[in-house]
Amino acid sequence: MVIVLFGKPGAGKGTQAPRLAAALGVPILATGEALRAAIREGTPMGLAAKAAMDRGELVADDVILGIVKETLSSAPFANGAILDGVVRTVPQADGLQRVLADIGRKLGAVLVFDIADGEIVQRVSGRLVCDKCSAPFSGREPGESCEVSGCQSGQGGGTLVRRKDDEPDAVQTRLDQYQQKTAPVLEWYTKQGARIATIDAVGTVDEVTNRAKHALGL
Ligand code: AMP
């Protein structure tokens, strides 16, 4: 089953993705994470994407669709995927349909995380991430250590940092980009007759997980 997690930046898609992936027994494709890994590794794709990402702007559709095609065609994704942070534009939605048709798969559902802009700004301004494993944290201070077990067992645990695109200017740009380019995707999916499930994304992490599972019939 292929599920698209859809919603504003900071709506909680990245927090819920591992929980839903575990419940469904499928891996996660998170394009933001794939791009950050490419930046850390200094690949040409990472170098090309970095400036747009730091400003909070979207990366080019062909780059994103390249990641989507390569990942969804790979063996670990044979049984489906949770898509976190993709799709974000109508051309990406269209491209995803073509990739799915090529590999003989169908979109299961679009799960929409509903949340107001004001809540996003407050949430994101308190968000830190591990610079090694990218796990999100709130209520912590920059410079503290990450205690996610897989992270610590690597080459030393990571450190908690603020993402450059979680700075206030970049957050506003990301919300603007969402309104201009991402919100129309929902209209597109509605016209396509896709299964769209909307959940209230404000609540504890467990509450939102339960709503999401219920909405997906899990
Ligand atoms: P995220 O981790 O999903 O918040 O993504 C971080 C940043 O990566 C975004 O602000 C964009 O610059 C870029 N990005 C991630 N996914 C996409 C996508 N599907 N389309 C365009 N840009 C993306």
Side-chain angles (χ1 to χ4, degrees):
M1 190 192 263
V2 175
I3 306 288
V4 169
L5 304 188
F6 190 90
K8 293 169 187 166
K13 304 183 297 293
T15 301
Q16 296 297 331
R19 292 166 161 240
L20 299 175
L24 279 164
V26 297
I28 301 166
L29 165 55
T31 40
E33 192 41 49
L35 292 166
R36 282 187 288 277
I39 291 173
R40 282 196 296 272
E41 289 157 18
T43 69
M45 179 177 82
L47 294 176
K50 187 174 185 320
M53 285 180 77
D54 284 350
R55 285 194 299 267
E57 291 168 6
L58 295 185
V59 171
D61 289 332
D62 56 345
V63 173
I64 299 298
L65 285 170
I67 298 173
V68 168
K69 188 165 191 178
E70 189 182 328
T71 309
L72 293 187
S73 311
S74 68
F77 287 80
N79 293 325
I82 294 283
L83 302 191
D84 167 14
V86 66
V87 298
R88 272 166 143 121
T89 66
V90 170
Q92 288 180 23
D94 200 34
L96 173 65
Q97 292 295 68
R98 275 183 277 120
V99 170
L100 291 178
D102 282 353
I103 58 178
R105 220 130 347 113
K106 282 210 170 109
L107 182 69
V110 179
L111 182 64
V112 182
F113 288 66
D114 187 30
I115 185 167
D117 283 8
E119 178 82 19
I120 294 276
V121 173
Q122 209 179 336
R123 245 187 216 194
V124 170
S125 65
R127 173 165 80 172
L128 299 176
V129 294
C130 171
D131 66 351
K132 287 239 170 78
C133 72
S134 298
F137 294 86
S138 60
R140 299 283 300 270
E141 292 296 322
E144 288 182 7
S145 298
C146 171
E147 57 285 305
V148 171
S149 60
C151 183
Q152 288 285 18
S153 64
Q155 298 173 315
T159 302
L160 307 195
V161 296
R162 184 173 317 288
R163 273 169 50 173
K164 221 172 191 162
D165 60 352
D166 278 350
E167 300 290 345
D169 280 359
V171 172
Q172 193 51 56
T173 304
R174 288 160 74 199
L175 288 172
D176 292 346
Q177 297 257 298
Y178 177 87
Q179 278 316 329
Q180 287 165 25
K181 297 179 179 163
T182 308
V185 173
L186 218 42
E187 217 172 293
W188 187 89
Y189 273 129
T190 305
K191 280 190 194 137
Q192 297 280 317
R195 180 178 161 213
I196 299 175
T198 301
I199 57 162
D200 180 0
V202 181
T204 65
V205 174
D206 283 344
E207 280 166 355
V208 177
T209 305
N210 289 337
R211 286 175 204 148
K213 282 187 178 169
H214 182 74
L216 295 175
L218 298 174

